């Protein structure tokens, strides 16, 4: 194993794993910190569910993942965070990055969520989502981690003990040698974490080349696209062009959507407006202990033979806010996640073998309910979202982070596998 990745949520893990597979690294994703020996792969991604956990728990789990990956022989480590830098003032990106650095005796690491193919760019430390600053994007209304400041140096500093600095575009554009020199200067000036600007894939490749020998990289999936080439140029591996094929599994198909992002709202609407079947999960009905999961299942089972069905809790921001003020953010989230997880498990028992799941937390809950612990990574559907196979089982899963995918993502994904 060359690269050990610690991902703070499930869809983030598949996102970075897909990126590595696309660039020719044989990659396996494990759910949670494994007990046994490491699988045979160039990169192993440990998917945690730590993004919204209390900071101390996120640190504990991340360190456990690091220790397992290190014992398995990884040479470099990658803390995969969201491309919209999802976190709260209490953490978890700063506390986890600093704990990993302490364990690795690393004095310096970059932090770069840029993913230009998906419209996430960082310039002068400010994160853009498409043409908007992060703080003007739909992320300002995220149910769990609303992001209202686009200045990542400020965001990360608020979560960190050490000094946070900026690796400006002016340097990144000059390539790996300039980046290395600047990293050394920042480090000499007492900076421990530096937010790195990047506006296109060439910037990410330059960052990857410059940082391939640093113990830790904290980043979205973007920087990973440059790592296989950086490793190959050092003679550490030979990229494998056939890293991504998955078998046909047959069976029925279902979409489960618990994301309330702008993109997912549009995707759900597109699915429904094109005449496909959808069942809406009502969070308030769940709180009133109505048998919502049973109703969804009965509804789905009647329709499965005719084609894919969707069960969704996805709602517009004002509806989510109303539900959250009635139930509390955490309780609303948990009720919905538990319901969709229950539906997933029962649908699998009814013969569903291809699942498309929208939402990071939602995917985590679904994967857990399905008892999946290892995923083989396959072809990319849209930037950031590959198909995956539950290792050794006839079960395919596409786990979509809320903000990702084209408007017809759900039907497109299901048209790509049998
Ligand atoms: P994303 O990838 O868009 O962040 P997540 O699944 O990570 O999506 O987070 C969405 C959260 O919102 C989940 O905890 C989910 O259970 C919750 N949720 C989904 N639908 C609703 C709703 N209608 N009202 C309140 N919370 C909801």
């Amino acid at each position: 194993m060359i690269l050990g990745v610690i991902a703070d949520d499930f869809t983030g893990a598949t996102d970075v794993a897909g990126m590595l597979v696309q660039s020719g690294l044989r990659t396996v994703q494990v759910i949670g910190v494994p007990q046994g020996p490491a699988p045979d792969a160039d990169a192993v991604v440990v998917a945690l569910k730590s993004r919204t956990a209390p900071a101390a728990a996120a640190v504990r789990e991340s360190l456990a993942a690091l220790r397992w990956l290190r014992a398995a022989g990884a040479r470099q480590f990658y803390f995969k965070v969201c491309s919209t830098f999802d976190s709260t003032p209490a953490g978890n990106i700063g506390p986890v990055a600093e704990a990993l650095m302490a364990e690795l005796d690393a004095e310096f690491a970059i932090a770069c969520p840029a993913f230009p193919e998906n419209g996430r760019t960082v310039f002068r430390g400010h994160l853009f989502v498409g043409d908007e600053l992060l703080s003007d994007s739909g992320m300002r209304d995220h149910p769990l981690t609303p992001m209202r400041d686009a200045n990542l140096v400020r965001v990360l500093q608020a979560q960190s003990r050490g000094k946070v600095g900026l690796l400006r575009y002016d340097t990144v554009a000059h390539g790996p040698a300039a980046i290395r020199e600047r990293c050394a200067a920042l480090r000499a000036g007492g900076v421990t974490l530096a937010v790195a600007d990047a506006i296109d894939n060439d910037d990410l490749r330059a960052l990857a080349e410059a940082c391939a020998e640093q113990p830790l990289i904290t980043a979205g999936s973007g920087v990973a696209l440059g790592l296989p080439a950086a490793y190959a140029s050092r003679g550490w591996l030979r990229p494998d062009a056939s890293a991504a094929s998955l078998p046909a599994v047959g069976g029925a198909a279902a979409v489960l959507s618990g994301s309330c992002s702008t993109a997912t709202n549009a995707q759900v609407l597109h699915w429904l407006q094109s005449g496909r079947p959808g069942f809406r999960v009502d969070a308030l009905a769940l709180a009133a202990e109505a048998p919502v999961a049973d109703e969804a299942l009965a509804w789905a089972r009647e329709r499965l033979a005719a084609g894919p069905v969707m069960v969704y809790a996805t709602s517009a921001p004002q509806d989510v806010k109303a539900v959250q003020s009635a139930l509390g953010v955490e309780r609303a989230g948990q009720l919905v996640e538990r319901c969709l997880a229950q539906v997933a498990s029962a649908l699998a028992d009814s013969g569903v073998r291809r699942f498309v799941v929208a939402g990071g937390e939602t995917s985590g809950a679904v994967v857990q309910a399905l008892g999946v612990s290892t995923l083989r990574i396959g072809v990319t559907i849209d930037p950031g979202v590959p198909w995956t196979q539950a290792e050794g089982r006839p079960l395919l899963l596409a786990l979509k982070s809320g903000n990702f995918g084209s408007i017809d993502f759900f039907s497109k994904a299901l048209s790509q596998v049998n």
Side-chain angles (χ1 to χ4, degrees):
M1 190 194 312
I2 299 168
L3 181 66
V5 183
I6 300 154
D8 71 351
D9 87 339
F10 288 87
T11 48
T14 44
D15 171 6
V16 69
M19 192 68 93
L20 294 166
V21 166
Q22 258 183 311
S23 324
L25 235 59
R26 295 171 308 123
T27 305
V28 168
Q29 175 178 336
V30 293
I31 318 291
V33 183
Q35 302 289 326
D40 174 34
D42 302 318
V44 175
V45 181
V46 178
L48 301 178
K49 202 172 182 301
S50 57
R51 183 175 298 164
T52 55
V59 164
R60 201 168 48 240
E61 281 177 43
S62 305
L63 284 174
L66 175 68
R67 287 173 189 143
W68 182 83
L69 289 163
R70 210 174 183 189
R75 301 184 187 200
Q76 188 176 39
F77 302 89
Y78 195 106
F79 174 31
K80 159 68 176 71
V81 301
C82 189
S83 68
T84 40
F85 221 64
D86 300 17
S87 51
T88 65
N92 286 337
I93 297 175
V96 170
E98 291 189 320
L100 297 176
M101 288 168 73
E103 178 83 8
L104 291 165
D105 279 327
E107 288 174 5
F108 177 87
I110 60 160
C112 180
F115 189 178
E117 262 183 293
N118 268 351
R120 277 57 158 164
T121 54
V122 183
F123 187 69
R124 304 254 167 195
H126 288 69
L127 178 56
F128 290 81
V129 176
D131 294 335
E132 292 176 315
L133 282 168
L134 174 68
S135 44
D136 293 327
S137 77
M139 279 305 296
R140 64 174 294 107
D141 297 316
H142 190 278
L144 306 176
T145 49
M147 296 300 289
R148 302 206 164 145
D149 186 358
N151 181 334
L152 298 187
V153 176
R154 202 158 49 201
V155 168
L156 188 55
Q157 187 65 79
Q159 306 169 17
S160 306
R161 290 188 193 164
K163 186 167 156 192
V164 177
L166 174 60
L167 184 59
R168 280 190 189 79
Y169 181 71
D170 319 38
T171 300
V172 175
H174 281 95
I179 295 170
R180 270 188 218 107
E181 200 177 304
R182 184 71 193 137
C183 286
L186 285 166
R187 189 169 149 176
V191 168
T192 51
L193 280 166
V195 171
D197 282 351
I199 62 171
D200 62 22
N201 285 351
D202 286 341
D203 299 334
L204 294 172
R205 285 188 200 100
L207 285 168
E209 172 57 34
C211 301
E213 289 172 51
Q214 291 181 6
L216 180 73
I217 291 174
T218 293
S221 61
V223 177
L225 71 84
L227 286 175
Y231 297 154
S233 76
R234 286 165 174 78
W236 296 354
L237 94 142
R238 199 178 310 143
D240 178 352
S242 67
S245 62
L246 297 179
V249 295
V255 179
L256 299 169
S257 182
S259 159
C260 296
S261 70
T262 313
T264 307
N265 267 286
Q267 289 156 345
V268 168
L269 195 64
H270 184 271
W271 174 276
L272 299 173
Q273 284 181 341
S274 55
R276 295 179 170 88
F279 181 97
R280 183 170 171 274
V281 168
D282 179 350
L284 293 174
L286 284 172
E289 295 184 12
V292 179
D294 291 342
E295 286 165 18
L297 277 167
W299 173 90
R301 284 189 183 122
E302 271 174 26
R303 289 166 178 79
L304 276 178
V309 298
M310 169 188 281
V311 177
Y312 67 100
T314 304
S315 301
Q318 65 274 19
D319 299 330
V320 175
K321 276 198 192 109
V323 167
Q324 289 180 332
S325 56
L327 306 178
V329 173
E330 209 170 310
R331 176 141 183 268
Q334 279 172 1
L335 282 169
V336 170
E337 284 170 39
R338 201 177 314 142
C339 172
L340 291 176
Q342 241 177 304
V343 170
S345 164
L347 284 178
D349 292 342
S350 303
V352 173
R353 291 186 183 162
R354 288 163 290 145
F355 283 96
V356 181
V357 187
E361 297 293 329
T362 308
S363 293
V366 166
V367 160
Q368 202 168 16
L370 293 175
V372 173
S373 61
T374 306
L375 293 169
R376 198 148 63 84
I377 308 300
V379 288
T380 289
I381 304 156
D382 267 333
V385 202
W387 269 107
T388 73
Q389 180 195 6
E391 187 83 325
R393 288 167 60 181
L395 178 63
L396 299 184
L397 300 160
L399 308 171
K400 186 189 86 77
S401 166
N403 285 305
F404 287 0
S406 59
I407 191 152
D408 60 346
F409 178 83
F410 298 130
S411 49
K412 175 161 67 182
L414 289 168
S415 73
Q416 291 180 355
V417 293
N418 295 301

